[in-house]
Amino acid sequence: TPFLARPTMVDRLVRLHPQRRLPPPSAIPDGHILIIGCGTNGGTLVDVLLLEGRDLTVIEQDPAVVAELQGAGIRALRGDAADPAVVRQAAPERAAAILSTLGNVHDARWILDEWAQHTPVLVRVFGPDEVAWVEARGGIPIDYAAATADEFMHWWVHQGPASAFGSDSSSNAGGSPAR
């Protein structure tokens, strides 16, 4: 109905969805790691941190990702990290670290302003301008552009193009992958 489709009503109804609620912040233990954004990069962080036995809390907008995390027993909240009320449900003041993998580094501004003086806030960045921007706000930049270049060079040195294009590079002078 038109009444239910109004933006204010949709917002109120979405807030009632069970994926939008975590245990009360007082029930989230001290020292958890808060991951904001659980796409490809955040998912990799979750995997690594779980292997280390870390206690995690994740904020993600994608309901399928939230359901998968919750199904695996991971504390996960569906919501927009640009909304302070959503992030506050995840007890960031008691986190050992906050990791932001948000697509736009500037979306982490209020998180840096609010918590970087008390808690390590690591933010995914792409290049020197974003590195400087995060550092100026007390955060720890993780430069994915540099990490990607390092990973490529590691691959190039240790495996090289022969592994991708076939072992006989002379038969592949055009540079296309061997088929």
Side-chain angles (χ1 to χ4, degrees):
T1 68
F3 174 74
L4 291 176
R6 291 187 0 218
T8 55
M9 185 54 71
V10 169
D11 186 53
R12 287 182 185 163
L13 291 172
V14 165
R15 289 178 191 271
L16 297 175
H17 193 281
Q19 287 185 337
R20 296 220 19 137
R21 302 209 185 282
L22 283 174
S26 61
I28 297 174
D30 288 347
H32 69 284
I33 296 176
L34 175 55
I35 299 175
I36 300 175
C38 197
T40 302
N41 297 308
T44 300
L45 287 171
V46 166
D47 292 343
V48 169
L49 293 169
L50 285 176
L51 286 173
E52 291 185 0
R54 303 294 181 158
D55 183 31
L56 306 178
T57 305
V58 178
I59 298 173
E60 169 59 40
Q61 285 188 312
D62 185 333
V65 172
V66 171
E68 183 179 336
L69 291 167
Q70 290 174 340
I74 299 168
R75 197 168 32 274
L77 170 67
R78 181 176 178 215
D80 182 356
D83 181 352
V86 170
V87 177
R88 286 192 179 97
Q89 286 184 55
E93 70 281 358
R94 291 199 322 276
I98 300 170
L99 311 175
S100 170
T101 65
L102 297 173
N104 182 343
V105 68
H106 299 286
D107 289 343
R109 178 183 207 124
W110 81 269
I111 295 165
L112 288 162
D113 292 346
E114 183 97 12
W115 285 292
Q117 299 308 314
H118 314 287
T119 303
V121 178
L122 292 84
V123 180
R124 174 178 69 170
V125 299
F126 296 94
D129 291 343
E130 291 182 354
V131 167
W133 187 87
V134 169
E135 287 175 338
R137 285 160 182 76
I140 302 164
I142 305 299
D143 190 343
Y144 271 48
T148 300
D150 289 345
E151 184 65 24
F152 172 77
M153 290 308 299
H154 177 79
W155 170 83
W156 184 267
V157 168
H158 296 286
Q159 294 178 334
S163 67
F165 301 122
S167 59
D168 182 9
S169 60
S170 63
S171 65
N172 192 14
S176 301
R179 301 217 192 304

